[in-house]
Amino acid sequence: MMGRFARSWALIKASAGVLRSDTELLVFPLLSSIATLMVVASFVAPLFVLQEPQAQELSEKGFSLLYLLWFFGFYLCQYFIIFFFNSALVGAAMIRLQGGDPTLSDGLRIAWSKVGVIFGYAMIAATVGMILRAIEQRAGFIGSWIAGLFGAAWTVASFLVVPILVSQNIGPIEAVKRSAMMLKQSWGENLIGNGGIGLVGGFLTALVLLFGAALTVAAGVNQLPGLAITLGALTVVAALLMGLIQAALSGIYSAALYRYADGGESQGFDRTLLQGAFAHKG
């Protein structure tokens, strides 16, 4: 087990090396975050336009048709944006892993060429999200537990869907099947590696927030409002940057794992590490 964690940490460092070579890859998760916020605003704003009785009626209907359509549309738009820019990130990372020098336009061009299958995959993910939400709301605590379990399984099984869609001319359903098949061969390393990115990113982000909050409070106590505002703003920016880095590393990691599974080389990655990631379960 310790060997698996050591290999996963080495894979994370290799992903960071690729990101250092192409820091512009951070633009893709940044654009994704901005677009996602715009989607949230566009779906939430109409609720404030409704008069109070109308809003109350909407909330009381629960799973009415309007409620379902609203949530499905929200999930669909959100997933499409996330998958589109993630496809751009993975596409650009693929070029770097093949020894090229990608640009932002390269990534966007690749994502746009796959816009149809990306939308199809977003439809699948939105449907899964709606089903899990229905289970969670209808079955109370047990439903939440079941939804969390199946949600985690879906996240793991679909981890390689985006690099598969970017690299192959297949539909979203077949991509999900192939991703799940690859994960059956190597679930442990892939889960630990991607989870490691999340754990490390979450830990560092928490440290940044705690340290920044402590400095901000100290400046406020010492009656330095200008410094306190500056430190608070810098803390927020640093936390957001950590989130962008985490998203970029996850995309690079998935691209490298997919390339090895598909028989390709990945510049900047030790082949023996990738071979360990896709060792068959004993």
Side-chain angles (χ1 to χ4, degrees):
M1 180 60 71
M2 291 303 296
R4 284 186 177 274
F5 275 102
R7 286 196 302 271
S8 295
W9 178 246
L11 286 166
I12 294 172
K13 290 195 295 183
S15 300
V18 173
L19 184 58
R20 283 194 298 270
S21 300
D22 291 284
T23 54
E24 64 268 24
L25 294 178
L26 291 172
V27 173
F28 295 122
L30 175 61
L31 292 175
S32 179
S33 299
I34 294 173
T36 299
L37 288 175
M38 293 175 64
V39 167
V40 172
S42 66
F43 274 84
V44 172
L47 297 180
F48 291 96
V49 176
L50 292 173
Q51 299 296 323
E52 185 174 347
Q54 294 174 305
Q56 180 67 24
E57 181 183 359
L58 179 62
S59 64
E60 289 176 352
K61 286 182 178 179
F63 277 91
S64 66
L65 179 60
L66 180 60
Y67 181 86
L68 289 174
L69 290 176
W70 186 90
F71 260 103
F72 184 80
F74 174 72
Y75 278 139
L76 178 60
C77 293
Q78 191 175 43
Y79 280 128
F80 175 75
I81 288 171
I82 292 172
F83 295 151
F84 181 86
F85 287 106
N86 197 23
S87 296
L89 168 63
V90 169
M94 291 280 194
I95 296 175
R96 167 59 63 180
L97 295 174
Q98 294 170 6
D101 186 17
T103 63
L104 293 177
S105 60
D106 288 328
L108 293 173
R109 172 181 51 80
I110 291 171
W112 183 251
S113 71
K114 300 288 184 175
V115 67
V117 291
I118 292 172
F119 183 80
Y121 179 40
M123 289 277 289
I124 295 174
T127 302
V128 171
M130 289 294 295
I131 293 173
L132 294 178
R133 181 176 178 83
I135 294 174
E136 184 178 4
Q137 291 196 347
R138 291 298 181 91
F141 173 77
I142 295 178
S144 298
W145 183 80
I146 294 175
L149 183 64
F150 278 96
W154 167 257
T155 300
V156 173
S158 60
F159 181 67
L160 295 178
V161 169
V162 168
I164 290 173
L165 288 178
V166 167
S167 304
Q168 302 181 23
N169 293 319
I170 61 175
I173 296 177
E174 182 62 26
V176 172
K177 292 179 180 178
R178 293 192 185 185
S179 176
M181 181 181 65
M182 289 180 177
L183 266 295
K184 287 181 181 179
Q185 299 175 350
S186 59
W187 65 271
E189 186 73 16
N190 199 356
L191 181 61
I192 293 171
N194 192 45
I197 293 175
L199 288 174
V200 171
F203 176 73
L204 293 178
T205 301
L207 283 181
V208 168
L209 289 173
L210 289 174
F211 185 68
L215 291 178
T216 301
V217 171
V221 170
N222 287 278
Q223 298 182 348
L224 299 171
L227 180 59
I229 294 174
T230 301
L231 289 173
L234 290 176
T235 299
V236 172
V237 171
L240 292 175
L241 180 60
M242 291 300 302
L244 297 180
I245 292 174
Q246 180 179 331
L249 290 179
S250 182
I252 295 169
Y253 183 87
S254 67
L257 287 181
Y258 168 75
R259 277 191 55 76
Y260 176 81
D262 198 46
E265 297 288 339
S266 295
Q267 183 171 306
F269 282 80
D270 188 339
R271 186 172 178 82
T272 58
L273 288 174
L274 294 171
Q275 184 177 7
F278 277 84
H280 288 270
K281 295 183 292 184

